[in-house]
Amino acid sequence: MTISIRPATAGDQAAITALVKSEHLNPTDLDWRRFTLAVVDDAVIGAVQVRRNRDGSRELGSLVVVPAMRGQKIAGRLIDAALATAGGEDIWIVTPAAFVGHYRKWGFSAAWGRNIPLAVRLHHRLGRSMAVVSWLKGRKGKNLTVLVRPASGVLFPSAGAIRHAACKTRPEGAFRAPPAPWRGNTYRS
């Protein structure tokens, strides 16, 4: 059995949609042109996309591998291939907090505050809302977090990161900087 990684074609659209829906992922914006697939004997067993959001941000999403093929590093191969096509731009991802450590090997780190593009923040909020719906249905919801892989390799702090730098509950690996004096009472009149 040979697993091949390749760009999707128009004929793969139905398989992509079925695979993403089978894992209860966001079923919107599933254009085959943005997908990279893992295939065995012409059967799609995994998929990932790098989408361009309306605000211009790039987001890694819809990462899924069929349950029977998990544990064979297929997701890692899909991410490698997708990021190779992403170019020199920041790449964002909304993922369960349990997977933050897995994404570090690709240069992702926790991001929060106003430095997160609006479209990514909206996807994060949508995911959190769906976690509440899952909980109400008796299923375990996922604690989601936002990660970024900066094109420059340097994550610049946002005003939110500076303001919350002393917070003891900040996400692991998030930027830490001294608190900005203009945010405190020191310079207020």
Side-chain angles (χ1 to χ4, degrees), residues 61-164:
S62 308
L63 176 61
V64 61
V65 176
V66 295
M69 300 300 288
R70 292 180 185 162
Q72 299 182 43
K73 302 186 185 283
I74 296 169
R77 290 177 58 194
L78 285 166
I79 293 169
D80 287 339
L83 291 177
T85 65
E89 297 182 66
D90 293 350
I91 303 294
W92 300 85
I93 185 169
V94 177
T95 186
F99 296 126
V100 170
H102 296 292
Y103 289 102
R104 282 200 186 115
K105 66 180 102 177
W106 289 284
F108 285 92
S109 60
W112 44 309
R114 294 190 178 139
N115 65 330
I116 300 172
L118 179 61
V120 178
R121 279 188 273 155
L122 291 174
H123 289 152
H124 182 243
R125 287 183 186 150
L126 174 65
R128 286 177 44 199
S129 299
M130 294 313 296
V132 171
V133 171
S134 293
W135 179 77
L136 291 172
K137 290 182 174 183
R139 295 189 306 241
K140 184 178 179 185
K142 296 177 182 167
N143 180 19
L144 299 177
T145 190
V146 177
L147 305 177
V148 63
R149 178 181 185 237
S152 65
V154 178
L155 180 60
F156 293 100
S158 68
I162 293 170
R163 189 169 51 248
H164 297 292

Side-chain angles (χ1 to χ4, degrees), residues 1-9 12 15 19 36-47 69 74 77-78:
M1 169 177 63
T2 303
I3 300 168
S4 60
I5 307 295
R6 66 168 174 80
T9 63
D12 297 318
L19 191 58
T36 301
L37 304 178
V39 180
V40 172
D41 300 326
D42 294 327
V44 176
I45 60 161
M69 300 300 288
I74 296 169
R77 290 177 58 194
L78 285 166

